[in-house]
């Protein structure tokens, strides 16, 4: 599975009506697009599309706010411990039922 495959799989989620899924897609693509574009794995018409998409993810006020709000959570998240049975059963949630960082 290449990073270009991941970009192709995640991009449709940018249009999700479910905010959490859309936000995760925005954050993932914001991190993944620069190295994909730098590696030149996308050329031709896709390069222009990806460049514009990255521009949107970089400058859109709501996306910038989302990254600022949730960046700390994802930096502290230990995925390996969270995907265990114990990690899933001991997760704490806030009043909006969003997972809390450790």
């Amino acid at each position: 599975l290449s990073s270009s495959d991941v970009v192709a799989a995640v991009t449709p989620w940018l249009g999700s009506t479910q905010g959490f899924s859309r936000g995760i897609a925005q954050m993932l693509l914001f991190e993944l697009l620069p190295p994909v574009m730098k590696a030149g794995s996308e050329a031709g018409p896709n390069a222009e599309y990806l460049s514009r998409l990255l521009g949107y993810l970089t400058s859109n006020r709501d996306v910038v706010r989302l990254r600022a709000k949730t960046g700390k959570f994802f930096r502290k998240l230990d995925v390996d411990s969270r995907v265990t049975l114990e990690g899933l059963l001991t997760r704490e949630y806030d009043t909006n039922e969003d997972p809390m960082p450790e």
Side-chain angles (χ1 to χ4, degrees):
L1 186 65
S2 72
S3 54
S4 295
D5 292 334
V6 174
V7 168
V10 172
T11 301
W13 287 97
L14 292 173
S16 174
T17 58
Q18 208 285 326
F20 185 76
S21 299
R22 185 177 58 250
I24 293 295
Q26 291 170 344
M27 293 181 65
L28 177 60
L29 288 176
F30 178 78
E31 296 295 329
L32 190 58
L33 283 176
V36 167
M37 294 167 63
K38 184 177 181 179
S41 58
E42 293 291 339
N46 286 338
E48 178 67 21
Y49 171 75
L50 294 180
S51 177
R52 288 175 184 249
L53 180 56
L54 182 58
Y56 169 80
L57 295 173
T58 301
S59 63
N60 179 273
R61 187 175 52 189
D62 292 329
V63 179
V64 170
R65 187 174 52 232
L66 174 69
R67 285 195 318 271
K69 180 179 176 183
T70 59
K72 181 179 176 183
F73 169 83
F74 285 105
R75 281 189 298 277
K76 292 179 73 178
L77 182 65
D78 179 5
V79 174
D80 291 332
S81 70
R82 283 301 180 190
V83 297
T84 65
L85 180 58
E86 180 181 0
L88 292 171
L89 295 175
T90 59
R91 176 168 283 162
E92 294 183 36
Y93 295 87
D94 66 14
T95 55
N96 295 321
E97 297 185 17
D98 291 326
M100 299 285 292
E102 298 173 347

